[in-house]
Amino acid sequence: MSAITQITLHKHATAIVGMMAMSLAMLLLPMGDAVTKSLTSTLAPAQIAFFRAIIQAGLLASAFLVMRRRLSGRAFSIWSFMSGQCVAVVSLGLIAAFKTMPIATAIAIFFVEPLLLTLLAGFMLGEKPGPHRYVAIAVGMLGVLLILRPNFATFGPSVFLPVVAAVAYALNMIVTRRATRVASALSFQLGSAVFASITLSIIMLTTTDLFAMIEVITLQIALGLSGAGVLAAATFLLIAYAFSQAEASVLAPFQYLEILGATLIGFLAFGDVPDEITILGTFVILGSGMYVFHRERRANMPVRRTQTRRDR
């Protein structure tokens, strides 16, 4: 067996491991969302977001201490501070959305994020998409409108919470891309989690009666909060591991497994069934996102300059 063949087989093997890790992460995400949604009947979104962030930061800190000699860059910087604020907005937006609407509906709207990221990266990172991807972004936005229109009549302005979360998440990804040029992912994420915890603690303390909150936290609720935090941390570590094993263009389509998982777990745990318009809008968003990933992958292939330019 030649050296080239061995290298190729190794890349395929690591890519499969990466895909398995990403698939598992996309299963754990809606499980954590389901636990979070169950807690919203007792606790306010700010309270849940705070406890989940604290637990997640603690677990990341433990991983950081174990791996610190292999990490680079500062954990605390202006970039991790900006990321922390975005993370706080994402967490509050999605948890508040889960309180009022089915998980699958909130996640379907939230998945406009890859399209927003493509659009914002053109203005903020110089990664300008071509006309085909602009068209795909526009079609994806129409899919969001399909979901928003009927659900607005049912759930009111809260349907815009996943949109706000998606914008914040896209901005966080841009900050992350910039920050991880000089710092390892775990160092950066630890700083981000700590800053998010501080921001969420301020919000919680200014909006919460602490004595009333303590009275309602039973052992079951404490276990639920711990479970939500552990699932969030485990998901991050799995995603980070997946991206260390396979290329982003290979893993990107697996992100959409989250919508399938959210639909299944939402039905099993809460009996939620999306209506036909929501399902149609979800498929429009999925199709648009997959097309953007497809164009991005082709644009990054090592082909002739003229072909690359035409493909954009």
Side-chain angles (χ1 to χ4, degrees):
M1 184 181 297
S2 67
I4 295 178
T5 302
Q6 290 179 337
I7 293 173
T8 301
L9 290 175
H10 177 70
K11 286 184 177 180
H12 283 307
T14 55
I16 291 174
V17 172
M19 289 185 284
M20 292 174 62
M22 179 62 78
S23 299
L24 179 57
M26 293 304 105
L27 175 63
L28 292 181
L29 269 176
M31 290 176 61
D33 293 338
V35 174
T36 299
K37 182 178 177 64
S38 67
L39 292 169
T40 58
S41 61
T42 306
L43 299 175
Q47 297 167 353
I48 300 170
F50 166 73
F51 284 111
R52 196 171 71 170
I54 285 291
I55 295 169
Q56 184 175 353
L59 292 173
L60 290 174
S62 300
F64 177 84
L65 291 175
V66 172
M67 303 175 60
R68 63 186 182 278
R69 294 186 178 181
R70 289 181 286 174
L71 302 176
S72 60
R74 294 185 301 161
F76 303 102
S77 65
I78 184 62
W79 299 109
S80 58
F81 172 79
M82 293 169 61
S83 174
Q85 309 319 299
C86 291
V87 169
V89 172
V90 173
S91 186
L92 286 172
L94 285 180
I95 293 174
F98 294 154
K99 184 178 179 67
T100 58
M101 70 181 72
I103 295 174
T105 301
I107 295 299
I109 299 172
F110 176 76
F111 259 85
V112 73
E113 178 273 327
L115 304 176
L116 294 174
L117 176 59
T118 301
L119 186 63
L120 292 174
F123 296 102
M124 304 179 73
L125 294 177
E127 302 175 4
K128 294 185 178 180
H132 291 91
R133 277 180 275 181
Y134 276 125
V135 172
I137 291 170
V139 172
M141 297 302 179
L142 291 177
V144 174
L145 291 177
L146 280 174
I147 300 176
L148 289 178
R149 184 177 178 183
N151 286 290
F152 183 84
T154 304
F155 304 112
S158 61
V159 296
F160 295 107
L161 290 171
V163 178
V164 174
V167 173
Y169 192 88
L171 290 172
N172 184 47
M173 292 303 296
I174 291 174
V175 171
T176 301
R177 285 187 185 182
R178 173 61 181 81
T180 50
R181 294 174 185 173
V182 295
S184 59
L186 183 54
S187 299
F188 169 74
Q189 289 296 335
L190 173 60
S192 174
V194 170
F195 281 124
S197 299
I198 293 173
T199 298
L200 290 169
S201 68
I202 295 173
I203 295 174
M204 186 193 70
L205 290 173
T206 56
T207 60
T208 296
D209 182 341
L210 293 180
F211 293 104
M213 181 186 70
I214 292 173
E215 288 179 355
V216 300
I217 295 182
T218 62
L219 177 60
Q220 183 178 1
I221 292 175
L223 291 174
L225 289 169
S226 300
V230 169
L231 286 169
T235 299
F236 161 75
L237 293 175
L238 280 170
I239 292 174
Y241 178 72
F243 276 96
S244 72
Q245 299 296 307
E247 296 178 358
S249 58
V250 174
L251 297 175
F254 287 86
Q255 297 179 40
Y256 290 113
L257 291 175
E258 183 183 356
I259 293 181
L260 299 179
T263 302
L264 177 61
I265 291 176
F267 173 73
L268 294 176
F270 305 104
D272 296 330
V273 179
D275 58 61
E276 293 82 357
I277 298 298
T278 298
I279 294 173
L280 175 61
T282 300
F283 276 108
V284 171
I285 296 172
L286 287 175
S288 301
M290 292 292 288
Y291 184 75
V292 167
F293 287 130
H294 167 70
R295 300 298 295 193
E296 183 173 354
R297 187 176 185 184
R298 290 190 60 186
N300 291 327
M301 289 176 64
V303 294
R304 295 190 304 272
R305 184 182 298 275
T306 53
Q307 182 177 350
T308 302
R309 185 181 298 116
R310 189 187 314 120
D311 183 60
R312 289 181 183 275

